[in-house]
Amino acid sequence: MLLHLSTWLEVETYLEQSKGIILPIGSTEQHGPTGLIGTDAICAEAIAKGVGETTQALVAPTINVGMALHHTAFPGSISLKPSTLISLIRDYLTSLTKAGFTKFFFINGHGGNMATLKAAFSETYAVLAELNLPNADRVQCKLANWFMCGSVYQLAKELYGSQEGSHATPSEVALTQYVYPDAIKQAPLSAEVAAGYPIYGAVDFRRRYPDGRMGSNPALATPEHGQQFYERAVKELSQSYLEFLAQD
Amino acid sequence: MLLHLSTWLEVETYLEQSKGIILPIGSTEQHGPTGLIGTDAICAEAIAKGVGETTQALVAPTINVGMALHHTAFPGSISLKPSTLISLIRDYLTSLTKAGFTKFFFINGHGGNMATLKAAFSETYAVLAELNLPNADRVQCKLANWFMCGSVYQLAKELYGSQEGSHATPSEVALTQYVYPDAIKQAPLSAEVAAGYPIYGAVDFRRRYPDGRMGSNPALATPEHGQQFYERAVKELSQSYLEFLAQD
Amino acid sequence: MLLHLSTWLEVETYLEQSKGIILPIGSTEQHGPTGLIGTDAICAEAIAKGVGETTQALVAPTINVGMALHHTAFPGSISLKPSTLISLIRDYLTSLTKAGFTKFFFINGHGGNMATLKAAFSETYAVLAELNLPNADRVQCKLANWFMCGSVYQLAKELYGSQEGSHATPSEVALTQYVYPDAIKQAPLSAEVAAGYPIYGAVDFRRRYPDGRMGSNPALATPEHGQQFYERAVKELSQSYLEFLAQD
Amino acid sequence: MLLHLSTWLEVETYLEQSKGIILPIGSTEQHGPTGLIGTDAICAEAIAKGVGETTQALVAPTINVGMALHHTAFPGSISLKPSTLISLIRDYLTSLTKAGFTKFFFINGHGGNMATLKAAFSETYAVLAELNLPNADRVQCKLANWFMCGSVYQLAKELYGSQEGSHATPSEVALTQYVYPDAIKQAPLSAEVAAGYPIYGAVDFRRRYPDGRMGSNPALATPEHGQQFYERAVKELSQSYLEFLAQD
Amino acid sequence: MLLHLSTWLEVETYLEQSKGIILPIGSTEQHGPTGLIGTDAICAEAIAKGVGETTQALVAPTINVGMALHHTAFPGSISLKPSTLISLIRDYLTSLTKAGFTKFFFINGHGGNMATLKAAFSETYAVLAELNLPNADRVQCKLANWFMCGSVYQLAKELYGSQEGSHATPSEVALTQYVYPDAIKQAPLSAEVAAGYPIYGAVDFRRRYPDGRMGSNPALATPEHGQQFYERAVKELSQSYLEFLAQD
Amino acid sequence: MLLHLSTWLEVETYLEQSKGIILPIGSTEQHGPTGLIGTDAICAEAIAKGVGETTQALVAPTINVGMALHHTAFPGSISLKPSTLISLIRDYLTSLTKAGFTKFFFINGHGGNMATLKAAFSETYAVLAELNLPNADRVQCKLANWFMCGSVYQLAKELYGSQEGSHATPSEVALTQYVYPDAIKQAPLSAEVAAGYPIYGAVDFRRRYPDGRMGSNPALATPEHGQQFYERAVKELSQSYLEFLAQD
């Protein structure tokens, strides 16, 4: 059940049986010479939709732009500052908590969002409590990174070994190929790829990772792989969502 | 050309010939008993995609959640505070201006976004100038509300007369029916509908407009109407975008 | 009844019979070679005082500086950032709502304030509700732009036709001449005047509008015209204020 | 020379010979049973105008609302939060520094503004330097409290002794009587008046100072006294302004 | 009783008998060629500990970094912006007020903190009241500057006369020598020392005060003097704290 | 070399040979019935001092209060909101980067700080770049959590097995016992201890973890263990710091 394809009456009915909602969050950032700029949002959205179907959960619209400041020296990347993303999450959850939601399950497609999201959850719990919202002390957020699912990680290792890398990875590229088979890109990929540098500012990042990849070989990706990743992530996160709901 | 389906190399190439980008912005808010919560985002996104195809322009991911505080007494509505939306716009445009974009064309699906967007443009011009970004004094934003296109307005008047109303209108509902024919909703609509009250806070809004509609009769909407609205808006806004680009 | 010339005991008494207050807001910005920098504040203040006298309403001190970032490439202009103006309005209305006021009637002298004021109203409704202030959900703000009164617009058209323009207009200059006859300025005004460009950042604005006027011929203004504008605006806005008060 | 009664061309000319500007700042807050709510703004504005005439200095519009949170349990008081006032001052000085001003002389009518103004000056110096504004490291702010002038203090002591008190004082009330002789108020004043308590929050303040006065007997005020205070303050602050200008 | 060396159970017990807490605040800033960068924090911490022992009061961890923007052109200085320090104080007091504390006694070692702290207290009183925290209207903050104690001032005058100066003073240096006798520094000190200039921005400050001292001769300091200052400050502030506690 | 025990001349000299600085950060929060409220700050400070001695690095004053919102239902806990901590870190690093530092090594004693610190680093890199600070694109932050050192983890496992738990752990308690042997606390510890619940808001945390411990048995701690933890952490982090410095 997709929130943007529902009416408020349907949401009112939904709330009678569940206080849970799934919020997909991605990023709009370079993903190497062949990866789509929307990769992280595409993956999060597709998987969230799958989890929603599997579990009958409501799925919010995708947060397409996240915390990707370190990618902004590559054109096409868009990022919120962490302080802005914290305000955004606070506003989303304030709106939804007022309506009666208390279980927020974020399906995340971007490693760079993790720290800020966790900070945002802490800030939001405190703000909701200060505003004396009913049920504020029952609000719970869970961060579910599809790329960190055990079954996903296992498959990536089997298929790509060390060529999985850590950004513009064949696994995420494969998933976008499965979702958007018409948008599979070709571009020369040097065999040698930078890897292992820590991440600091945007200019520094581009200096170290000149084509945007971090140790990955996205040429290994196929739509068929993508389907497998999709199915594993949906299965594992559906289970995770149901456990989250069941938790006190 | 959709940003999320492009690579950074493609964006780099695009920037050699154009500094323009289209940013669809909608809202996630109640649209009466039969209107989709995502109506404003769906309309903006579909039209932006159409304009992008017509004009070869790059289209950014849709900003799905806007300024809808007055709708938040209806479940399922999500809103940013104006101050948060201003920060978000500032961050988007800072990222894109650094990359070389200077012409920002916002295709907007929600009247409630207009004031905050204009405030955000003013704030952003000043901030970019203070940061000494190259071309900061050449940055231009244009707000294009599809529902205020002359040709759209004309058609709505012909088809619906005074039953168009001003929220959860048959024209916007029709457009969503055209885009998502599988998500056409049925619910009882009272013949009498509240109209003409000014908009203040969320509780007050729901008190005055108990089913969420503002003077509208969305039962008049059909997918065929939706297609007509879509085509008129795309045509008119494509023209508008090209003029905006051509302007000094 | 002017707030700054009242005592708190008088305000306490006033609140027993009315929850309404008038807040004049202007701007401090260039108004072409002959227009006063305080034009917008002067007009708003004079009219607000007149409306207060006509309707027995309390009038707050004038907000002299508003959102005029696009004029700041001309010396003497002072502007708040939109985010600052939003905080200012929120603070004003928080103070006044705590005291029992719920009807806020802004008499505005500057088009550039409109978007930010509307955004500020939305932000304030939400913040007051979150803080659980008594009557928060009864708070209502109304934006009354004197220069958009029908009777004012009509007169400007009759007197000046297309030479009214849209900034440093003869109508607003006339009104300041009526209020401050000793401060009527003379300076050469080129017959040709820039017009029709959209407004972006401050440097761009001055590039397009080199003497600060936007399509106007303020040389047509006279103090006698000013009195007429004043009287029409006071009459129309007094009516508007009383209707606002009477509204549920 | 009053900024709001000047044109931008006149300001441009003024800047050729002086980089100084006077900014009056007051407050909108209760001043006891007989004191005007605008007392602090009225005094600051009148004296600033006098100093401007004496020294040929430009005088900005009065900041009518300052930091008066502790007075907000009395109706009619309006206050900015300190963080808002800091943003406001930063915005004012950013606008004026861009135009070439570097010497900012604040004539202040309210003790409660002092701490926040000093904090705002520090914040502004740092922000202007970070933005690389030309002359940022030459920007200087001076806080001139008229009520702390030696000659003013001396006169208050002579006229009122210990009945001067520290809020709603006869000296400030006298000055408003001189400026607005038609707005002299009468109300019963108990002989006993609270005094000596420190200032904390608004509710606490009203509990301790039930009629709003702090140890003062404003019944002693006369318009003639007011004129004397006015003349002493103008003389002393004019001298102070010229020394400030002359300083490196 | 030091908060950082206590358990939460001990704090719970403490709150049964006292609602007071001492918060030492200093600064991390240049103190001339021989003064320690931590001087203000060291003094505040030592004295706060002494007062805590004398009065059985709980002492919070020292706020080591304060408002020292004007010192930041000297390496090693660290400063918060005033707006950040206000947020920090608001967060500290929100945490502690929720736990039941209402009496906050700040022992301050840095003149530059005073304005921002006072602004922060005002902001905090208002915010706590808006959040409806229990006892919010009983919260009281007191700013106690050890260097402004009468007995301290008297001793400094006797020992150093006009060579006390106003920054990097022998009295504060002496106190650090008493606390950290192993960190007594030697460096050439010119006999002539800049004095009497007002404080503006950081670059300006260093231009006027090239070695960081303001009219002081810290070579006069001895650890024995430091002990005397310490003892006087502890005695006087202990008395002051007890009076603060006893106050309604 | 401790910053607070240094002079600015010594820092100037230091900067000629190193651009690195160590910033200890802890927290002020409950640590179970026997753990010190300052545990995280005490550990971070002691280890940072040790690393500074080993590597000749400059050590900044300890940030004593961090992000501990979830502990604030226990008295004595003090927390910054994440947004405040981000501003604080931004201010610290702005001050230090202006002075020439570019390598910031945070020795952290509190798991709850990690997300916000990472978000703060990202925000700061972007802000410094926007302000055009020299070397802004060379600024690097590293987060070093002493409790996650391999050698520390190994020892905790050997000594305590599963009784290490995850908050108020015997390892951190032991370290504080080594540093402050006079502050070893005794209190009854139930054999059964809550464990395994995720962390949400403050009220929820205390409901799940009624005595503050998370699965730990701090009664196992001894000062001798503490010394071992200290020595392992200092050794491992000294190595880590030197590698960080050597890195491009």
Side-chain angles (χ1 to χ4, degrees), chain C residues 1-2 4-5 22 24 43-55 57 59 107 230 234, chain D residues 180:
Chain C
M1 180 179 171
L2 301 177
H4 69 281
L5 297 185
I22 294 171
C43 295
E45 183 166 288
I47 293 165
K49 208 172 150 186
V51 173
E53 286 162 4
T54 306
T55 64
V59 181
I107 293 187
Y230 168 80
V234 167
Chain D
Y180 287 106

Side-chain angles (χ1 to χ4, degrees), chain A residues 63-127:
Chain A
I63 302 172
N64 294 304
V65 169
M67 210 313 289
L69 288 171
H70 48 298
H71 291 295
T72 52
F74 290 92
S77 302
I78 308 179
S79 179
L80 300 181
K81 287 212 173 70
S83 52
T84 305
L85 184 50
I86 289 173
S87 297
L88 180 147
I89 296 294
R90 180 204 62 200
D91 285 0
Y92 270 55
L93 299 200
T94 302
S95 299
L96 292 166
T97 300
K98 282 184 188 165
F101 292 96
T102 56
K103 295 267 189 178
F104 302 101
F105 191 80
F106 285 79
I107 293 187
N108 176 37
H110 173 46
N113 287 338
M114 292 169 61
T116 300
L117 280 176
K118 287 179 187 171
F121 296 165
S122 297
E123 180 113 356
T124 300
Y125 296 138
V127 168

Side-chain angles (χ1 to χ4, degrees), chain B residues 67-82:
Chain B
M67 209 313 289
L69 288 171
H70 48 298
H71 292 295
T72 53
F74 291 92
S77 302
I78 308 179
S79 178
L80 301 182
K81 287 210 174 72

